[in-house]
Amino acid sequence: QASKRLRTQTPLLDRSGGFLDLVQGPKDDPDFKPLLSTTFGGGCVVALAQVEGVDVDKTSQPRCSWWQLHYSGPPVGPVESPGLDLAKLGEDVAAVALVAEVAGAEGKTKVTEHSEIGYVKATPAWTAAVNAGSAKAPRPILRLRRHDGVKPGGVWLIAAIARTVAGDSRSSWRTEAIDEVYPTQRMKAVLPLRCKDLVASLPAPKKDEEEDPMEKTRRILAEAMGKA
């Protein structure tokens, strides 16, 4: 029995991803340089989120989606797409939020050979990057790494991209990293609370004030009398 235990446990110390990795989880990447905030001119942005250092098929990689945050009213989304053209957003949109999740990942946690001794392999790190500009000359505006990754059933709230001037289609934009994970079904309720300060910092665009009917009548009469 002792020899059987030895054959079962010894390989855990010899393989890559062995006992220490099971306990400590994924290692930090000293070469990764985060970019948490950038001001840029707007236009098209493209986002990519990936599971780090793990060979998985495309269906198991996280997919990016966008939420629109308006000056008033609930958030609109999510719209699954890696790219977004900020210039096409309405002036009532104060910001957009970028999220990522693995579609249908809930309940897909794999059981490995290490499960027999009660250890569960740590969730691998996730990374996200957002570029602005054209494909030929992309400009990095966000780089983020989540050391603990995202467990099945969770959605990664990566960042928000907000206008710098309210209601101005020519306004520049600013990325702000968030890096928080929430249950998928709670995201719509969480976004207004989490991004409240960001949207509140931009006053709602002023609408053209309607002329008082009485004042309008007086103005028309005055103009008519002046021409007489």
Side-chain angles (χ1 to χ4, degrees):
Q1 292 181 350
S3 61
K4 288 183 179 179
R5 284 197 297 270
L6 182 61
R7 284 195 298 270
T8 301
Q9 297 175 1
T10 299
L12 293 176
L13 302 177
D14 296 336
R15 296 185 181 127
S16 61
F19 180 79
L20 291 178
D21 286 338
L22 291 173
V23 175
Q24 296 176 354
K27 297 181 177 65
D28 287 324
D29 182 357
D31 296 326
F32 187 86
K33 305 299 182 185
L35 179 59
L36 305 182
S37 182
T38 307
T39 300
F40 64 105
C44 293
V45 294
V46 178
L48 176 66
Q50 291 183 308
V51 179
E52 188 178 86
V54 176
D55 293 329
V56 292
D57 59 81
K58 291 183 178 180
T59 60
S60 298
Q61 286 285 6
R63 301 177 184 178
C64 292
S65 299
W66 303 90
W67 288 85
Q68 293 184 23
L69 304 172
H70 295 253
Y71 294 100
S72 60
V76 177
V79 175
E80 184 182 314
S81 173
L84 178 68
D85 189 349
L86 298 172
K88 293 183 178 180
L89 296 177
E91 293 184 359
D92 60 332
V93 177
V96 293
L98 172 64
V99 301
E101 63 180 319
V102 176
E106 199 164 0
K108 288 189 175 181
T109 304
K110 294 182 179 180
V111 178
T112 69
E113 63 183 34
H114 307 301
S115 300
E116 66 180 1
I117 60 172
Y119 292 106
V120 178
K121 201 160 191 175
T123 306
W126 284 30
T127 59
V130 184
N131 288 338
S134 65
K136 292 183 179 179
R139 177 192 173 187
I141 57 173
L142 182 85
R143 281 190 303 272
L144 196 60
R145 183 178 188 268
R146 185 169 183 83
H147 176 272
D148 296 329
V150 180
K151 291 181 172 55
V155 57
W156 187 18
L157 177 53
I158 299 170
I161 305 178
R163 295 184 190 272
T164 58
V165 179
D168 186 351
S169 61
R170 297 167 298 177
S171 166
S172 59
W173 294 76
R174 184 174 181 82
T175 56
E176 294 288 348
I178 297 178
D179 188 18
E180 295 174 359
V181 173
Y182 297 96
T184 301
Q185 64 274 15
R186 288 192 57 209
M187 183 52 63
K188 187 172 184 177
V190 165
L191 273 175
L193 299 175
R194 182 59 185 82
C195 299
K196 178 177 63 175
D197 293 341
L198 182 65
V199 174
S201 66
L202 295 170
K206 294 181 179 179
K207 297 181 179 179
D208 295 334
E209 296 183 0
E210 294 184 2
E211 188 175 7
D212 181 77
M214 186 63 70
E215 292 297 328
K216 183 178 181 180
T217 302
R218 289 174 181 169
R219 178 179 58 79
I220 294 174
L221 286 173
E223 290 175 354
M225 290 175 66
K227 293 178 181 179

